[in-house]
Amino acid sequence: MKKKITFKKPVRTFTVILVLLGIHFGIMLAEKHFTQTRKMASQDGATEKYSVSADKDLSESSPEEFKKAFKYQLLKDAVIVSTQGNPGVRLGNFLMKDSRRVTVPVCDLYPTIDFIFAAEGIAFSGEIPHMIVRGPCLTSPDQNHLEALPVPWGKILNSPVQQFEFTSALPYEQGKISIYFRNVIEFWPTEWVLIGVKLYGKTSDDNLQVNGYEVISILGQPLYLKAGETIE
Amino acid sequence: MPRRFIILIIFALCACERGPTLGPGDDNSLATASQADCGFVQNSYGQRVSWKKNIPVTLKIHPTFPPEYEDTLKKAAQHWNDVAGMTLINFATDSAGSPNKAEKNLISTVHWLQEWPETQKNLQALTNLYWQGNSLYESDVIVDAKYFNFFVDKPQNSNDIHLESLLIHELGHVLGLKHRSTVPSVMWATLQGAAIRSDLTDADRETIKCEY
Ligand SMILES: [Zn+2]
């Protein structure tokens, strides 16, 4: 006669939790497996040119799918990095089809990028200070990211608040960054939150945008940039 | 009992990690502001920022503020108190010797400045506002007495600024209001010389009721 296995209540609860954790890790492993880095094959002979994870290849997305998919790819791994002691936002790269149906990185079609920030927790006469960091869209050497545009805080914090425009050269002659401020009146705010990203195409009506609420919805929290931050 | 306890802990941990709820997305966007602005400054989640339960706000009047204008300041606050049906703003005297500048120190103050940067000489006054989450915790008002002359009843010349109108506007900022440009309001960004704008409008009444 088989003995019926019975669990006492606390044992049963922990068993349920263990099973749930098992399912969770199973899903994580499966996800990792299906998004393994692989060489991209495209119809045009660009095979093996770009080495990015499969989910970053949006070249076959329908226009409807693309509208939101690019926002996830840009932002899901967004992080603050420090370049020569200056903080900037590093975003995710993704691939698209150009007008000749060739698969290319987003920066090939959208060569200029804006990072738009709002001061955190401060308003001067009801207006929140804003900062726009504008520069070239640069694909990182590992092709998985868009390079950060570092904000030269040392120079900014030592300038009068009336100065609303700064320029800074990127390392390795990769171009220059322009930084624009508005609504800064009494003092330089030092804590900023990312409230938008805008990629500019080669014509004035062609751009890709993400707003700050979308940043929060993807990351689960706002992305803060602090003056003098040196997180690597 | 232990199972309920564990489930409660799991729920509590999940709840702690979640920020304010964002507004829904649509065909093109993933999310929108948490709340309509209703004339208020909004935080990064799109929540209106206001003094919440920390009402009334106590503004300390710096000793440099001309005593003959204190009644005008209190009258300006009374406009907002009347539309809210409660005391939103009250006043106390700042201690003698405290610095006459709008420094961030957790104390809300009103200053009358004879020194003012030339590069900002078009500003009649300025109100700094500070918040954490969606709650305001400090606001400082500075009045530009270097580049502007003020009047209470009748202007001496066409550039004089009606002090009560100006202070109503600045106290609106203290309460968390931003500038308006599409509806009649005391929160329009500019106040012309000699102009009187001391009556709160329907838009101002509706705005203040969104938070207070
Ligand atoms: Zn104003």
Side-chain angles (χ1 to χ4, degrees), chain A residues 125, chain B residues 169 173 179:
Chain A
S125 286
Chain B
H169 177 95
H173 285 317
H179 288 140

Side-chain angles (χ1 to χ4, degrees), chain B residues 124 151-155 157-166 190-198:
Chain B
Q124 299 155 348
F151 72 94
V152 174
D153 296 319
K154 284 207 161 55
N157 69 59
S158 61
N159 293 326
D160 290 358
I161 298 299
H162 186 237
L163 187 60
E164 188 182 337
S165 300
L166 176 67
T190 51
L191 176 63
Q192 301 296 335
I196 295 179
R197 193 181 60 193
S198 55

Side-chain angles (χ1 to χ4, degrees), chain A residues 104-124:
Chain A
V104 293
V106 58
C107 291
D108 282 20
L109 298 179
Y110 295 87
T112 302
I113 188 166
D114 275 0
F115 292 89
I116 305 148
F117 298 87
E120 176 66 11
I122 297 174
F124 297 116

Side-chain angles (χ1 to χ4, degrees), chain A residues 3-62:
Chain A
K3 191 180 174 190
K4 194 180 170 189
I5 302 167
T6 53
F7 294 120
K8 285 185 180 169
K9 263 190 172 180
V11 177
R12 200 168 58 199
T13 306
F14 280 115
T15 309
V16 168
I17 289 172
L18 278 175
V19 168
L20 287 173
L21 281 173
I23 292 169
H24 176 73
F25 284 116
I27 291 169
M28 272 174 62
L29 283 174
E31 200 172 32
K32 200 174 173 186
H33 174 76
F34 287 118
T35 57
Q36 276 293 324
T37 298
R38 65 176 171 88
K39 301 288 181 189
M40 299 310 305
S42 57
Q43 307 159 337
D44 56 82
T47 312
E48 300 193 351
K49 195 172 172 187
Y50 304 109
S51 177
V52 296
S53 57
D55 57 343
K56 291 182 184 298
D57 183 6
L58 306 181
S59 60
E60 299 300 331
S61 301
S62 69

Side-chain angles (χ1 to χ4, degrees), chain A residues 180-191:
Chain A
Y180 307 97
F181 289 94
R182 64 184 164 88
N183 302 330
V184 176
I185 298 180
E186 271 279 285
F187 54 86
W188 290 112
T190 53
E191 193 173 343

Side-chain angles (χ1 to χ4, degrees), chain B residues 97-125:
Chain B
S98 61
N100 191 22
K101 57 181 182 177
E103 59 184 5
K104 187 179 171 186
N105 58 3
L106 302 178
I107 301 167
S108 298
T109 47
V110 183
H111 299 265
W112 190 267
L113 299 187
Q114 299 292 349
E115 290 302 316
W116 194 271
E118 195 186 349
T119 49
Q120 293 169 358
K121 66 181 183 185
N122 60 329
L123 291 178
Q124 299 155 348

Side-chain angles (χ1 to χ4, degrees), chain A residues 13-14 17 67-68 71 120-128 162 185-187 213-214 216-218 222, chain B residues 3 6 22 26-30 32-33 41-42 44-46 119-120 126-131 173 178-179:
Chain A
T13 306
F14 280 115
I17 289 172
K67 274 184 191 174
K68 290 181 180 175
K71 298 182 183 191
E120 176 66 11
I122 297 174
F124 297 116
S125 286
E127 309 289 346
I128 299 176
Q162 292 76 28
I185 298 180
E186 271 279 285
F187 54 86
Y213 307 126
E214 294 175 313
I216 295 172
S217 78
I218 292 169
Chain B
R3 184 166 57 177
I6 290 164
L22 292 164
D26 54 29
D27 286 350
N28 296 311
S29 72
L30 301 169
T32 48
V41 174
Q42 289 167 290
S44 49
Y45 286 85
T119 49
Q120 293 169 358
L126 180 69
T127 301
N128 296 354
L129 205 53
Y130 305 99
W131 65 89
H173 285 317
K178 59 183 183 179
H179 288 140

Side-chain angles (χ1 to χ4, degrees), chain A residues 42-46 59-61 96-104:
Chain A
S42 57
Q43 307 159 337
D44 56 82
S59 60
E60 299 300 331
S61 301
M96 305 174 68
K97 278 261 196 298
D98 69 7
S99 56
R100 294 169 298 136
R101 306 291 300 155
V102 177
T103 300
V104 293

